[in-house]
Amino acid sequence: MTLRLTVKANPWRAHQRALIADVPGAVPVAKGNGYGFGLDTLALEASKLRTDALAVGIAQEVPKVRAGGWMRDIVVLNPWRPGDIAATDLLADPRVITMVSRATDLEAIKRSHPHARVQLEMRTSMQRHGIVADDLPLELGSLQFEGWSIHLPADGSLAEATQLASKALTCRRGAIWVSHLSVADYRVLRTSVGVQTRMRIGTRLWLGDASSLQTTATVLDVHPMRRGERLGYHQGRAPRDGFLIIASGGTAHGIALAAPVPQRTLKQRGVTMAEGFMEATGHTLSPFTIAGKKRSFAEPPHMHSSMLWVSGEEPGVKVGDDIPVTCRMTTTTFDEVILR
Ligand SMILES: *Cc1c(COP(=O)(O)O)cnc(C)c1O
């Protein structure tokens, strides 16, 4: 009963090495579900790359990447906040760099851990975290300053990066760490700022070579059904004669969690909700492919498996077959990750 990610290790690693070679100062990012591979796998892969630092999302991920084999520097991307015990403990760790995004937090850290390694985050047009120009200049005392962080929106602009970097550098010289610039723009920034630059890369590094990744589910059962027969937790009726296909992969794996599609109006959101899972059997498209076609859910996915609907005379699959399933990699937990 397996939802499986199969990785062609050679081309996958070749892509990583090529990208790292193309981006001087690249910093791999391993956070969350490890982009589908798991944090342990990514930590081990990163340790084979030519890089001295790995970025994680939160303090709790630090021991996880270390358990996976990463022993060099670790940057925690989410900014430190008072009361976060795990993040506060890491201020004393000589291999960890803490992100600081507010002047008040900087003051607190100076008092509690005067020699901590810190990076200062600038507010960008994303408006998530970060220090604004009005907060500058800042006094760092005896903190070990590791540079400025600029986290741009998707397809970030070189102009914004350049402007924020120059503002930051007038306050204090230090490395500029950016996210989400194109490689070409990053190279321009690198030559223009006059300090060391670093670029954090997650998606493009681990998921950039889609052809080396295959995601499959296993067919667990195939049941012929007559039109009108009841099925599933919800006892909906079979819409036609056909087959109920039970495949591995359910809510516990993150199957069929909707990706956040940008929707402009409340009305559009209402439509999406109304079109949700409570529709008639055989009408909500699933991410599973059988005989070359994406098939409908027979009912909402269960914890570890999904009930799919195939109309007609032939089910197109048999028990034990592997079938392709489209997965959003940052929300999927696979039962097995196979590197071959
Ligand atoms: C997650 C994250 C990244 C990596 O983002 P990808 O889009 O996966 O490359 C880079 N920088 C910061 C600050 C992040 O939080």
Side-chain angles (χ1 to χ4, degrees):
M1 171 132 183
T2 301
L3 187 71
R4 184 181 295 125
L5 167 60
T6 307
V7 184
K8 288 181 203 153
N10 287 339
W12 186 51
R13 290 181 177 135
H15 168 78
Q16 294 165 28
R17 283 194 300 269
L19 186 60
I20 295 288
D22 204 29
V23 178
V27 178
V29 177
K31 65 185 181 187
N33 71 340
Y35 293 84
F37 304 91
L39 289 178
D40 49 350
T41 299
L42 294 192
L44 189 62
E45 291 299 319
S47 66
K48 295 175 196 159
L49 295 171
R50 286 172 165 272
T51 173
D52 57 348
L54 180 69
V56 299
I58 55 174
Q60 288 80 356
E61 292 167 349
V62 169
K64 293 183 187 172
V65 295
R66 283 179 171 157
W70 179 264
M71 293 300 153
R72 295 164 234 166
D73 281 354
I74 302 173
V75 183
V76 180
L77 295 172
N78 270 49
W80 183 88
R81 285 291 181 272
D84 184 336
I85 294 166
T88 301
D89 286 346
L90 291 176
L91 289 168
D93 190 317
R95 281 272 181 214
V96 172
I97 299 171
T98 296
M99 193 68 72
V100 182
S101 71
R102 304 188 304 171
T104 54
D105 295 337
L106 187 66
E107 289 307 313
I109 292 172
K110 270 158 60 179
R111 284 193 298 276
S112 70
H113 295 80
H115 304 292
R117 298 176 71 184
V118 299
Q119 224 175 85
L120 295 181
E121 177 166 3
M122 295 288 282
R123 185 93 57 92
T124 70
S125 57
M126 185 149 69
Q127 307 290 3
R128 192 167 77 177
H129 304 298
I131 291 158
V132 292
D134 287 351
D135 296 332
L136 300 179
L138 290 166
E139 263 312 312
L140 277 103
S142 51
L143 291 174
Q144 200 171 322
F145 180 55
E146 300 286 350
W148 297 95
S149 172
I150 297 173
H151 185 196
L152 298 165
D155 306 316
S157 99
L158 173 62
E160 180 177 2
T162 306
Q163 190 204 358
L164 286 172
S166 81
K167 242 184 226 165
L169 292 172
T170 55
C171 169
R172 187 172 174 127
R173 283 182 72 78
I176 298 289
W177 303 60
V178 295
S179 310
H180 301 136
L181 278 182
S182 69
V183 173
D185 283 350
Y186 172 71
R187 287 174 169 278
V188 173
L189 180 79
R190 184 171 178 79
T191 54
S192 71
V193 289
V195 293
Q196 199 195 4
T197 58
R198 311 296 309 255
M199 183 150 77
R200 298 166 293 223
I201 312 174
T203 304
R204 270 183 280 176
L205 182 62
W206 309 119
L207 302 176
D209 179 34
S211 64
S212 66
L213 310 175
Q214 193 187 21
T215 51
T216 52
T218 310
V219 174
L220 304 172
D221 256 313
V222 177
H223 305 308
M225 298 289 289
R226 288 273 162 223
R227 175 170 184 225
E229 266 190 285
R230 292 192 179 275
L231 61 95
Y233 279 123
H234 298 284
Q235 291 288 288
R237 289 181 187 277
R240 285 174 279 285
D241 290 357
F243 294 85
L244 197 55
I245 313 291
I246 321 298
S248 60
T251 54
H253 303 94
I255 288 291
L257 291 176
V261 180
Q263 288 181 318
R264 265 155 298 150
T265 66
L266 275 176
K267 183 164 169 243
Q268 277 176 314
R269 271 180 238 163
V271 169
T272 304
M273 275 187 262
E275 284 172 350
F277 283 130
M278 297 325 289
E279 277 186 324
T281 296
H283 286 273
T284 302
L285 206 60
S286 83
F288 298 87
T289 296
I290 294 173
K293 243 176 83 179
K294 283 261 167 64
R295 301 295 170 161
S296 299
F297 280 116
E299 76 161 358
H302 300 176
M303 189 85 86
H304 287 104
S305 58
S306 292
M307 299 177 86
L308 312 173
W309 181 255
V310 173
S311 291
E313 308 285 302
E314 292 293 333
V317 282
K318 58 184 189 310
V319 171
D321 284 355
D322 286 330
I323 56 174
V325 51
T326 305
C327 296
R328 186 181 184 215
M329 296 293 281
T330 51
T331 59
T332 307
T333 307
F334 295 95
D335 297 318
E336 285 180 5
V337 178
I338 310 261
L339 273 68
R340 63 161 63 107

